Amino acid sequence: MRSAPAPSHATAVWALLVGATLTAWWLADGHGLPARLATTAALLIAAFKVRLVLLHFMELRHAPLRWRAVFEAWLVICSGVILAGYWHGPV
C-alpha cells in the first residue's frame, strides 16, 4: 500500500487547483473573452482539475497502465462530448 502524497507535493497540487479555479472564475466573469470562448476555457480547466484530483489525490498515477488508460480515455471522451454538445448542439 502506498502512503499519502508528501505534504509539499500535495500542497503544490492544491495550489495549482486553486490557481486553476481562480483562472476559470476570472474568465467566466467576462474579462475580455467572448462568452463562448470563456466557457470553453472554463470547461477545459475543469477537465484539467478533474485529472489532477484523480491522479494525485485518488492515487491513479500509481495505478496499472490499463486503469490509467481507461481514466484518460474517459476524461477525453466526456470532455469532448460536453464541448461538442456546447458548440454544435441545438441552439
Side-chain angles (χ1 to χ4, degrees), residues 12-54:
V13 173
W14 174 81
L16 189 57
L17 288 167
V18 170
T21 300
L22 292 174
T23 301
W25 171 76
W26 185 81
L27 286 171
D29 201 28
H31 286 91
L33 277 181
R36 246 183 183 198
L37 289 179
T39 302
T40 300
L43 288 170
L44 290 174
I45 290 170
F48 173 72
K49 288 171 53 179
V50 166
R51 186 173 188 271
L52 281 178
V53 168
L54 290 175

Side-chain angles (χ1 to χ4, degrees), residues 3-90:
S3 62
S8 61
H9 177 77
T11 303
V13 173
W14 174 81
L16 189 57
L17 288 167
V18 170
T21 300
L22 292 174
T23 301
W25 171 76
W26 185 81
L27 286 171
D29 201 28
H31 286 91
L33 277 181
R36 246 183 183 198
L37 289 179
T39 302
T40 300
L43 288 170
L44 290 174
I45 290 170
F48 173 72
K49 288 171 53 179
V50 166
R51 186 173 188 271
L52 281 178
V53 168
L54 290 175
L55 287 177
H56 296 283
F57 294 110
M58 297 185 78
E59 298 296 327
L60 259 177
R61 67 187 162 145
H62 299 297
L65 182 59
R66 283 181 284 189
W67 284 111
R68 182 111 184 249
V70 167
F71 158 67
E72 298 285 355
W74 171 81
L75 185 60
V76 168
I77 290 168
C78 285
S79 300
V81 167
I82 291 169
L83 286 171
Y86 178 69
W87 278 91
H88 301 292

